[in-house]
Amino acid sequence: MGQVMVPLKGELPKIADVVIVGGGIVGVSTAFFCSRAGLKTVVVERREALGSLTTASSTECFRAQFESAENIELMLGSIEIFSHFDEMTGIRDADISLRQQGYLYLTTESQQAEIYGEIVETQHKAGLTDVELLSGDEARARFPYLSPQIVAARYRGGDGWLSVHEVLYGFVKGSQAEFLLQTAAIGIALDTEGVAAVETDRGTIETRRVVVAAGPFSRRVARLAGVELPLTLLRRHRLAVLRCDLVPRRAPLTIDDDTGVHWRPEGAGALIAKAFEEEPEEPKEVVPRDWSFPAMVLDPQSPCSAGRVSPFWNRATNLLNKSNLDLCAGQYTYTPDHMPIIGPCSGVAGLFLNTGYSGHGMMGGPEGGRRLVQLIVGKTSDSDNPFSFERFLGPRAVLEPKERIL
Ligand SMILES: Cc1cc2nc3c(=O)[nH]c(=O)nc-3n(C[C@H](O)[C@H](O)[C@H](O)COP(=O)(O)OP(=O)(O)OC[C@H]3O[C@@H](n4cnc5c(N)ncnc54)[C@H](O)[C@@H]3O)c2cc1C
């Protein structure tokens, strides 16, 4: 069982096979697989608790419905891990609150309906044959709460959501790693062989391998080893409606693809989110909330109201007040192509990257961690790795998004 502790004087491990910087879902998943591979694994986390920065603001959804074959495969790997979580971690009857109620993309634009046909065809060709293309009427027959304006939908029933808290602590319990809280990485020492140690604010841990899994702070941590990462940070909000009896409990994650607003049932209410265009920003420990967000997604007069495709929200809005709402904000860590960086960092032997999930780290982190460890122990090669850092280097560097972000 993994050990979570605030190391007192003299308790900091002096040496490790691998030190992971960052105790969010990405760092903790990586620690689980490192420890299962027999490596003495230490995670350093600056905050008072694991999973308390970006991971805590996630809407906790997962999907295989991506447009690139690489991301589809990555997410199917994670979904496999979620589906067999107790076997994988060895925790009997582990309950991660897995709900496979589907992801439903909707459009009211006929031009977009044509694009839906192309997207679903691409997904089928990539092996994701269980994505359904629905007409507006077919979608309404299946999900009667939808607006008459909808002209097309894409749906996959195996997508859904879960409890990221349970997944994260399941990985902790199933590992033999040490998780050091209130311990910040402040330096990465290099010698002629590459990485030599991680310097923390509690002392030095000698190691030949470091994993940068510091979420929005990854750029700063990689700079400790002299490496510049192409990461951009954008603020994102998540609104919890604590109680709303009008929300259909069996609804899928319902996405207005024309505006980006999406919601799903949660407890006695729902979670609502949207990626608004914001200016890139610096990493933040506390991401300030914009209290105009609830009005943007709930006011029936707003052009991006959730009621646009799910009209019951227009009635629900009259029943809601601030005490029924809980708003939080976090930062998406983007790469230029909106796909994660998972793998070694050429130029600095022993430096590994697991970051840049571009809004998909809760769902991609577990399989990303598994793949990174295969690279670390030499079971796979970076030349076959679609998430290699190499794709951002040199004159042929990838600079265009390959995925849309929700
Ligand atoms: C509103 C919102 C909704 C989202 N919804 C979803 C969703 O539905 N599905 C999905 O897959 N993804 C979602 N995401 C994205 C997802 O939350 C992130 O991709 C994921 O949590 C990233 O995990 P992480 O471990 O990389 O980063 P984090 O959770 O941010 O963890 C990084 C950790 O590194 C630590 N750290 C940083 N610097 C140091 C240092 N020097 N020393 C020690 N520790 C350090 C930090 O304290 C932090 O705990 C959402 C994000 C937001 C903001």
Side-chain angles (χ1 to χ4, degrees):
M1 173 128 127
Q3 202 188 357
V4 184
M5 62 191 283
V6 178
L8 301 175
K9 214 169 176 350
E11 285 182 341
L12 192 83
K14 293 201 166 21
I15 190 158
D17 291 328
V18 55
V19 174
I20 297 167
V21 182
I25 187 64
V26 173
V28 172
S29 310
T30 309
F32 170 81
F33 288 106
C34 280
S35 140
R36 284 293 169 107
L39 301 173
K40 178 176 160 49
T41 306
V42 173
V43 174
V44 293
E45 168 52 55
R46 183 164 58 191
R47 293 167 70 94
E48 289 183 356
L50 298 171
S52 60
L53 190 63
T54 326
T55 299
S57 54
S58 160
T59 316
E60 304 179 297
C61 295
F62 61 85
R63 61 177 157 126
Q65 275 188 80
F66 278 85
E67 290 171 43
S68 67
E70 300 93 316
N71 256 352
I72 291 174
E73 256 186 54
L74 182 78
M75 302 311 170
L76 284 175
S78 281
I79 294 171
E80 179 74 14
I81 293 171
F82 299 145
S83 308
H84 300 99
F85 197 71
D86 42 6
E87 268 169 59
M88 170 71 68
T89 53
I91 303 167
R92 273 179 58 190
D93 303 326
D95 181 4
I96 58 167
S97 300
L98 190 69
R99 299 276 177 280
Q100 287 178 290
Q101 290 183 210
Y103 255 63
L104 179 66
Y105 288 84
L106 301 161
T107 183
T108 61
E109 315 276 341
S110 47
Q111 224 178 344
Q112 185 69 4
E114 280 173 37
I115 297 172
Y116 272 22
E118 290 163 24
I119 293 174
V120 173
E121 202 182 320
T122 310
Q123 291 168 329
H124 286 185
K125 277 191 188 147
L128 198 67
T129 50
D130 54 358
V131 182
E132 298 174 65
L133 180 64
L134 305 174
S135 68
D137 285 341
E138 286 168 335
R140 276 181 292 278
R142 193 119 36 119
F143 307 104
Y145 61 87
L146 296 179
S147 148
Q149 312 302 322
I150 286 155
V151 295
R154 297 183 275 133
Y155 177 69
R156 179 174 183 271
D159 296 340
W161 53 88
L162 45 68
S163 162
V164 68
H165 178 89
E166 295 301 327
V167 172
L168 185 141
Y169 280 97
F171 279 137
V172 169
K173 285 184 206 154
S175 79
Q176 297 293 325
E178 286 176 90
F179 299 86
L180 310 180
L181 303 179
Q182 296 175 39
T183 306
I186 53 172
I188 296 176
L190 306 176
D191 65 13
T192 49
E193 288 177 41
V195 167
V198 172
E199 287 151 11
T200 80
D201 54 358
R202 292 177 185 272
T204 299
I205 309 170
E206 283 178 33
T207 184
R208 285 290 175 195
R209 300 182 192 95
V210 177
V211 177
V212 179
F217 289 88
S218 296
R219 199 168 179 173
R220 289 198 183 164
V221 173
R223 276 185 193 146
L224 299 176
V227 172
E228 198 54 47
L229 299 183
L231 298 175
T232 309
L233 305 178
L234 295 174
R235 179 173 67 158
R236 296 292 181 235
H237 284 87
R238 181 197 73 190
L239 177 68
V241 175
L242 302 177
R243 176 155 204 110
C244 180
D245 296 339
L246 296 173
V247 174
R249 307 262 49 98
R250 301 218 47 79
L253 180 83
T254 301
I255 303 145
D256 181 341
D257 212 8
D258 304 325
T259 66
V261 171
H262 48 284
W263 63 270
R264 68 164 177 87
E266 167 73 8
L271 296 180
I272 309 179
K274 168 170 167 54
F276 283 101
E277 285 312 314
E278 298 222 20
E279 286 300 309
E281 46 183 31
E282 287 298 302
K284 292 189 175 127
E285 287 290 344
V286 178
V287 183
R289 296 167 296 173
D290 177 350
W291 271 99
S292 65
F293 184 85
M296 284 188 235
V297 294
L298 286 173
D299 182 346
Q301 306 306 319
S302 163
C304 49
S305 137
R308 212 182 77 87
V309 296
S310 311
F312 74 85
W313 278 115
N314 295 336
R315 281 180 286 135
T317 303
N318 297 327
L319 310 171
L320 300 177
N321 55 42
K322 197 173 170 188
S323 64
N324 197 4
L325 303 177
D326 184 27
L327 184 64
C328 77
Q331 293 179 307
Y332 274 17
T333 304
Y334 284 90
T335 60
D337 62 359
H338 298 177
M339 315 250 277
I341 303 173
I342 304 168
C345 180
S346 51
V348 183
L351 186 69
F352 294 89
L353 307 167
N354 198 0
T355 187
Y357 279 81
S358 308
H360 309 129
M362 198 285 310
M363 61 181 102
E367 172 66 4
R370 197 184 66 80
R371 289 189 185 197
L372 181 67
V373 175
Q374 289 189 325
L375 287 158
I376 290 176
V377 299
K379 278 201 176 151
T380 54
S381 152
D382 199 40
S383 55
D384 303 325
N385 170 20
F387 302 107
S388 168
F389 180 44
E390 290 292 319
R391 72 188 191 277
F392 296 120
L393 305 176
R396 298 208 320 215
V398 178
L399 297 170
E400 293 299 315
K402 281 178 97 175
E403 289 287 355
R404 288 181 304 146
I405 306 284
L406 264 191

